[in-house]
Amino acid sequence: MNARRDWRHRVVQGLSLIIVLAVLLVASQLATSSSTPGGLALALGLLLLLGVLLSEVLDVVRLPHLTGYLAAGVLAGPHVLHMVDHDAVEQLSGVNALALTLIALAGGLELRLTTLREVRSSLLRATIVQSTIGLAVSTGVFYAMRPFLPFLSEMGPPAAFAVALFWGVLGISRSPSATLGILSQTRADGPLTRFSLAFVMSSDIVVILLMAAAMVIGRPLIDPSATISLEAFRGLSLEIYGSICVGTTLGLALALYLHFVGSYLMIVLVLLGFGFSEAVNYLHLEPLLTFLTAGFVVQNLSPHGDRLLHAIEESGAIVFVVFFATAGAHLDVPLLISMWQVAFTLVAARALATVASHWFASRWSKDTPLLRRWGWSSLISQAGLTLGLSIIVERAFPAFGPQFRSLVVATVGINEVIGPIFFKTALDRTGETGMGLKTAAVHNGEAGDGKGSSSEGTPREAELS
Amino acid sequence: MNTVFLLVALLVAAYLGGLVSSKRTLNLSSGGEFLVIGALVGPSMLAFVDRETLYAFRPLILMALGWMAAVHGLAHGSLGTRRVRTKSYSLSILFSAFGAALIGVSTFFLAGWLGVFQGSDRYLIALASAAVLSGTRELQFPTAQLPETTRYRAELGNSHSLVSLGALAALPSLVPSDATLRLPAWAWPLLGVATGIVLGVTVASLIGSSLHRAELWPILLGAVLMTVGLSLGFDLPLLPPAFVLGLTVVALSPEAAKVRVLAQKTERPLILPVTILAGSFISWQINEQTWLLIGSMIVARVLVQYALGRAFALSAHEPRSRAHDFALSFLPIGGSNLAVGLTILFWSENEVGRCAFLLVALALVLGDLGGTRALGRIALPSQPDEPIINGALSEPKEAT
């Protein structure tokens, strides 16, 4: 009976998808450009609706919802069906500030001290191994591919090595947004979930530090007239210290607010996303680290962490869809096609380096067989942080920066699509999908069956349903 | 003023407004005072907010209006968890249509007599004033278990939108459209209705038979934004299609009641920033004859609403002592009328749009001054400390 109802629901969803696409195809012929208010609303509405529809359709073959959101962006974007043009994509990118705030806050809220203590040995060793072997392999492969990269073949060996080093650092960057997106969908809990959260969130800080170091070392190799300057390290130290201080203050303020007022959390989150993140940027602090710290403080120094997390999950549903659909629309499909051989080789090399590093680190840490087998799965995704760092390289080295960034965009595009699929598959296979619901049910004294899936939602959703 | 500062200020206003209005310290609970604040800081008066910054917010206002219209569609004809009684619904529609017709016809003849509007503009202003001045403030309660007078007033208030939105939907029939699509005049309102129905069916089918809260928002917001975008693309006023979308969801979805409860919670934080921004769009630069028309129509509205209120009181067998209060409670204008006025302003940014918007803005402030206390006596006879928020009782405490 349930199977029949499910089947009917899928048919209805398929028909809805056709209706929405038909309406949009007609509208795109009739409506004005996306630079008008109507065009922008249409673009945003389309990405939201198409994202949800495609994610539901892809759910049939157990692909993650993120893939559906990305696919919606690619499909509707300026490179395929042209339903959403470049102007609209740029304007919608304004949502990214809010999305990153929510992602970082949620990331911090997911980092419980108990979890960190539980995985600290694995975390430390994985960080060391990934930051050495992973970095070295990615750097080496990129350097070895010099003949196939026009902008690199013209450089001398030291300069090419410096660029390869930048690539190596980008190779060990991960995607907190994709990790949290998948966890939010699957309501997973277990050793793999806890390790992935802790590793992906903390690796951000390591990558930012390593990129600063690579820039200090690489600059004199690219430009012989430049010298090694520790000024960049000083600036970076101040940035990190300032971000942690401001994040701690914000976290304490949020904890007090949750304790004494606690209402209108949606407005407070939007205020933080647009207003406070603007202030953080003005102070030249690192927004991701600031909000990550704030979330960590609320979770570990107050009893209100879960409440804030629920509020983020509720209001974040829209933001997640827009964020990933916009990312999909940003994907430069013609560029990806033009350099697919190089991009796929680099992606494969990075994936192999990540898996090998993980295998070595997990043996060293004596991880459980489950973690040893699947721990790498959350480390494939790449998104905003990687692209952000590539922009820094592009600005610092205009001579080769644009070509370098194009290559980053192409590989991130592939990793962005395949990474969430690996992670969700791993969570399904390890049986951690839906375990977050069961844990919550046990905490609430209810008998949960633990069979949560993509559509199970939060415990409060279950109550509502 | 910087757009980020303005956005932050509006969000703070939304937050504070939500907190303050839940304390019932205000007499003007339709938000008349916030409309005045908006007008004061707007480009036509103190110019703290310049025209360019204000227009940068236009897409957001349009999206918010679309959302509010969809929420109104979801709540239309309901009180708490129940549908309003057929008698109340029919009377409300009938009397509102009569009032709107009276106002429209008066405007048409007065505009001609004063020589303010000519040709198709005269028809437009007549229909626009009927749309913005008919109806009264809505009252939403969590339950229909209310004293009979309160229940009757709430049922009448929650059923009238069909008339003003119908008049709004008919506006495009009076002027040739700029859209690429060529259609006969009568087909434009139907196109808007069809858009709302198609997307409403999509929402209902996607929600299915079991509501998942996290998925609801992208689905509903996506459909509302598509409705807004398509309406603007077709050069139609955006409220009627979004309202029809809400009605369609109610008609088709078995989860409509839950959707309504969830969606209504989002309305309160939206109303205040929109009201402030709406105030900033008021333009005082109109000629003396138009002012005379506006003044006359507001007086006409007061008379019509009061008379309709007395008629409703009679149908409810209200004692004579309560009939006056009951009639006065029909003077305040709801947020939906302000939204209609703002939509007309954006749809027709000429003398007609400015005049229609001034009509609704002034009627809202005067309606608040003249009728809110009476409305309070009718709506809250035994619970004087219960809060009213934009005509709606607030929940005791809300988590998010």
Side-chain angles (χ1 to χ4, degrees), chain B residues 135-154:
Chain B
T136 182
R137 190 187 299 167
E138 301 84 4
L139 288 173
Q140 287 296 344
F141 290 86
T143 171
Q145 305 283 318
L146 298 162
E148 181 51 34
T149 308
T150 311
R151 184 179 175 186
Y152 187 48
R153 170 62 184 82

Side-chain angles (χ1 to χ4, degrees), chain A residues 116-140:
Chain A
L116 286 176
R117 275 193 213 111
E118 207 176 290
V119 297
R120 69 183 160 196
S121 158
S122 305
L123 185 65
L124 185 69
R125 287 169 190 181
T127 304
I128 292 169
V129 175
Q130 291 285 356
S131 310
T132 49
I133 297 179
L135 191 146
V137 172
S138 291
T139 306

Side-chain angles (χ1 to χ4, degrees), chain A residues 279-403:
Chain A
V280 167
N281 283 327
Y282 179 76
L283 293 170
H284 297 292
L285 300 178
E286 176 57 42
L288 211 61
L289 185 58
T290 307
F291 290 110
L292 196 80
T293 311
F296 182 78
V297 168
V298 174
Q299 181 60 267
N300 294 291
L301 297 184
S302 83
H304 304 292
D306 288 340
R307 197 168 151 207
L308 187 60
L309 196 58
H310 278 308
I312 291 174
E313 280 168 356
E314 216 166 86
S315 50
I318 293 170
V319 178
F320 268 130
V321 183
V322 178
F323 179 71
F324 285 104
T326 313
H330 262 299
L331 190 64
D332 196 337
V333 179
L335 178 80
L336 190 59
I337 292 168
S338 71
M339 46 170 69
W340 70 272
Q341 295 103 327
V342 177
F344 272 98
T345 309
L346 289 169
V347 165
R350 175 181 176 270
L352 282 175
T354 302
V355 175
S357 304
H358 172 74
W359 180 82
F360 186 75
S362 61
R363 284 185 76 85
W364 185 20
S365 314
K366 296 186 177 62
D367 285 337
T368 57
L370 183 145
L371 203 56
R372 203 179 294 173
R373 188 170 178 197
W374 294 107
W376 56 271
S377 59
S378 61
L379 313 183
I380 303 294
S381 299
Q382 285 190 303
L385 177 69
T386 320
L387 292 174
L389 291 174
S390 74
I391 292 171
I392 294 173
V393 175
E394 184 187 17
R395 283 186 192 149
F397 304 100
F400 66 87
Q403 294 97 314

Side-chain angles (χ1 to χ4, degrees), chain B residues 73-124:
Chain B
L74 287 167
H76 178 71
S78 68
L79 182 60
T81 51
R82 286 192 187 171
R83 307 294 305 163
V84 301
R85 289 168 294 189
T86 314
K87 181 194 161 196
S88 311
Y89 189 82
S90 316
L91 274 179
S92 177
I93 297 283
L94 194 71
F95 280 35
S96 295
F98 178 68
L102 265 180
I103 289 169
V105 170
S106 314
T107 310
F108 181 80
F109 285 110
L110 202 59
W113 184 63
L114 290 168
V116 187
F117 295 102
Q118 308 297 331
S120 65
D121 278 358
R122 204 169 144 203
Y123 289 96
L124 271 180

Side-chain angles (χ1 to χ4, degrees), chain A residues 64-95:
Chain A
H65 285 184
L66 286 193
T67 311
Y69 307 154
L70 286 166
V74 174
L75 197 67
H79 299 294
V80 183
L81 292 178
H82 308 278
M83 289 171 169
V84 179
D85 63 22
H86 281 290
D87 280 349
V89 175
E90 286 307 317
Q91 288 186 62
L92 292 177
S93 300
V95 179

